[in-house]
Amino acid sequence: MQPGTPNQLKNSNINRLRRIIYQKKQITKPALAEQSGLSIMTVNNLMRELLSSEEVLETKSSVSTGGRRASVFEFNAMHRLILTLCLLEKNKTFAFLFSVHDLNGNILLQEEIEGDTFDKTIAKQQIERFLEKYPAIGCLVIGLPGVEHNGVVQVMDFSLLKGERLKSYFEEAFGFEVILENDVNAVAYGYSQAVEQDYSNAVVGLYYPETFPPGAGVVFNDRIVKGRNGVAGEIAHLPSDPDWSAFSFTEAATIANLLNNIQTYMSLYDPDCFVIYRNYWSDEQRLKVLIEGRIKTEFPFVDVPDINLSKEFDHDYVFGLFSLGIKQLNMELEHFN
């Protein structure tokens, strides 16, 4: 293996310091040197770059040992901000939820706009308002109940955004990275990032809205499974599924469809966890028994995956988009080499 150039070595060491400070949030210079394996002198030299860009702030420790207070390096969560836009289906109409996040995931501002006339021009005007107030926004992540293919929004429930090249439109307008993600993919990713359990296999998210066909998302090894054309998870197109234009959307009919899709995704992915989103079930305990019974009947030899019935679709949706934004910024800054 060829040795790295001095600049590559410097960047690698800076990334090491970034990673430690991001994880610890606050750390003294000696502790940073110890955990990074770098000398105090090297830490001093490298930190000048992170301090000058304000990625890191330097303060004095509140604890004194009798001499001078030690310098403390603090992660600056306001150095760059992430703007997320969720397209939500509510009460048989659509709502657009904007959220500004710092790099620790705190929501600084959140606004929801309802209306069937919302289009990319109105979205652009709203984003411009957020940028005026928060110029540190460096990434926009948009969640859609649809699919983006070759830069064009397809299979879209909201007609005014279908066929649009939203990614290129907003990137040209604002000059920073724009990410588009399917809503249920984002929700499943958000759940996988927030849950305490360490799932080494797949996490499958299934979403059953009140009056729209269901959707699915699969996260495997910290990666959303999209497929070649982005249509992985479009379970409303399964050949075993009903005619959704004539579907009753009663709870009994929904449960019957859910059990079939549980069996399908168990066969395909054998996941660690199913998280099933719906605002209301009349008897959650009974539903869990039905799900586990279907799995045990079809796969009597397996350990049943975790079954989580969740009403936190919007929360996991926003957090999933934020997590995708953090992942993008980390790639740009090479924080986590």
Side-chain angles (χ1 to χ4, degrees):
M1 179 182 294
Q2 293 291 328
T5 67
N7 276 339
Q8 288 173 330
L9 179 60
K10 174 187 173 184
N11 289 337
S12 176
N13 287 336
I14 287 177
N15 291 335
R16 193 183 313 176
L17 298 179
R18 281 189 177 115
R19 182 172 60 249
I20 294 169
I21 296 169
Y22 179 82
Q23 291 170 344
K24 298 295 183 181
K25 305 307 179 189
Q26 286 188 336
I27 190 169
T28 63
K29 189 182 299 183
L32 184 57
E34 180 181 356
Q35 292 191 29
S36 66
L38 303 173
S39 69
I40 290 286
M41 182 178 296
T42 301
V43 169
N44 279 333
N45 291 334
L46 295 176
M47 287 306 299
R48 291 194 188 102
E49 186 168 324
L50 297 180
L51 291 168
S52 65
S53 66
E54 298 186 348
E55 290 182 54
V56 175
L57 304 175
E58 186 174 10
T59 60
K60 294 295 181 182
S61 172
S62 60
V63 179
S64 174
T65 57
R68 291 191 302 173
R69 287 186 172 86
S71 291
V72 174
F73 296 121
E74 180 178 350
F75 173 68
N76 181 11
M78 297 290 288
H79 169 64
R80 295 184 79 182
L81 304 177
I82 296 170
L83 176 62
T84 62
L85 169 55
C86 298
L87 178 49
L88 303 166
E89 297 167 332
K90 285 188 172 182
N91 303 320
K92 300 183 181 181
T93 186
F94 293 90
F96 303 83
L97 181 64
F98 292 87
S99 307
V100 179
H101 311 251
D102 71 13
L103 296 181
N104 285 333
N106 299 311
I107 295 178
L108 307 176
L109 179 67
Q110 195 165 65
E111 290 187 12
E112 184 173 308
I113 299 171
E114 292 187 2
D116 294 334
T117 60
F118 192 92
D119 61 13
K120 67 179 183 181
T121 304
I122 296 175
K124 179 174 176 289
Q125 292 169 353
Q126 295 296 326
I127 294 166
E128 286 169 346
R129 286 200 307 109
F130 290 120
L131 282 168
E132 286 180 8
K133 188 169 185 178
Y134 296 102
I137 291 172
C139 182
L140 169 63
V141 193
I142 303 173
L144 301 168
V147 172
E148 180 197 27
H149 180 58
N150 291 333
V152 180
V153 176
Q154 307 282 4
V155 197
M156 179 68 174
D157 295 336
F158 188 72
S159 60
L160 288 184
L161 297 181
K162 185 175 180 180
E164 295 283 4
R165 294 183 176 273
L166 293 183
K167 178 178 171 65
S168 59
Y169 175 76
F170 289 126
E171 286 181 342
E172 289 171 8
F174 301 118
F176 50 62
E177 180 69 22
V178 175
I179 301 168
L180 266 66
E181 188 55 76
N182 170 266
D183 56 352
V184 188
N185 284 347
V187 170
Y189 190 72
Y191 179 85
S192 74
Q193 297 298 297
V195 72
E196 293 183 0
Q197 291 92 330
D198 182 18
Y199 292 130
S200 57
N201 296 301
V203 171
V204 173
L206 297 170
Y207 174 44
Y208 278 82
E210 301 296 330
T211 56
F212 291 94
V218 178
V219 178
F220 182 73
N221 284 340
D222 197 40
R223 184 177 67 87
I224 296 171
V225 178
K226 295 187 179 185
R228 179 180 180 183
N229 299 291
V231 299
E234 293 295 312
I235 56 176
H237 299 274
L238 287 172
S240 59
D241 267 18
D243 176 3
W244 290 105
S245 64
F247 191 69
S248 66
F249 289 98
T250 63
E251 185 174 38
T254 299
I255 288 174
N257 181 262
L258 169 62
L259 294 176
N260 288 340
N261 285 328
I262 289 283
Q263 181 177 332
T264 298
Y265 273 82
M266 188 70 192
S267 300
L268 292 173
Y269 293 103
D270 189 14
D272 288 319
C273 171
F274 283 103
V275 54
I276 301 155
Y277 294 91
R278 195 169 190 259
N279 288 332
Y280 176 77
W281 301 104
S282 60
D283 189 338
E284 292 190 357
Q285 188 57 45
R286 175 178 174 274
L287 179 56
K288 281 192 174 184
V289 170
L290 289 173
I291 293 170
E292 291 174 359
R294 173 65 74 92
I295 293 172
K296 289 176 181 177
T297 298
E298 298 297 330
F299 310 96
F301 53 90
V302 305
D303 295 325
V304 175
D306 292 344
I307 308 295
N308 181 22
L309 305 179
S310 176
K311 299 179 179 67
E312 298 297 324
F313 182 88
D314 291 2
H315 175 274
D316 290 351
Y317 192 178
V318 173
F319 188 70
L321 297 180
F322 162 76
S323 299
L324 290 169
I326 281 288
K327 192 173 186 178
Q328 175 61 36
L329 292 183
N330 287 339
M331 289 171 59
E332 290 178 12
L333 297 173
E334 296 183 334
H335 278 196
F336 301 99
N337 279 358

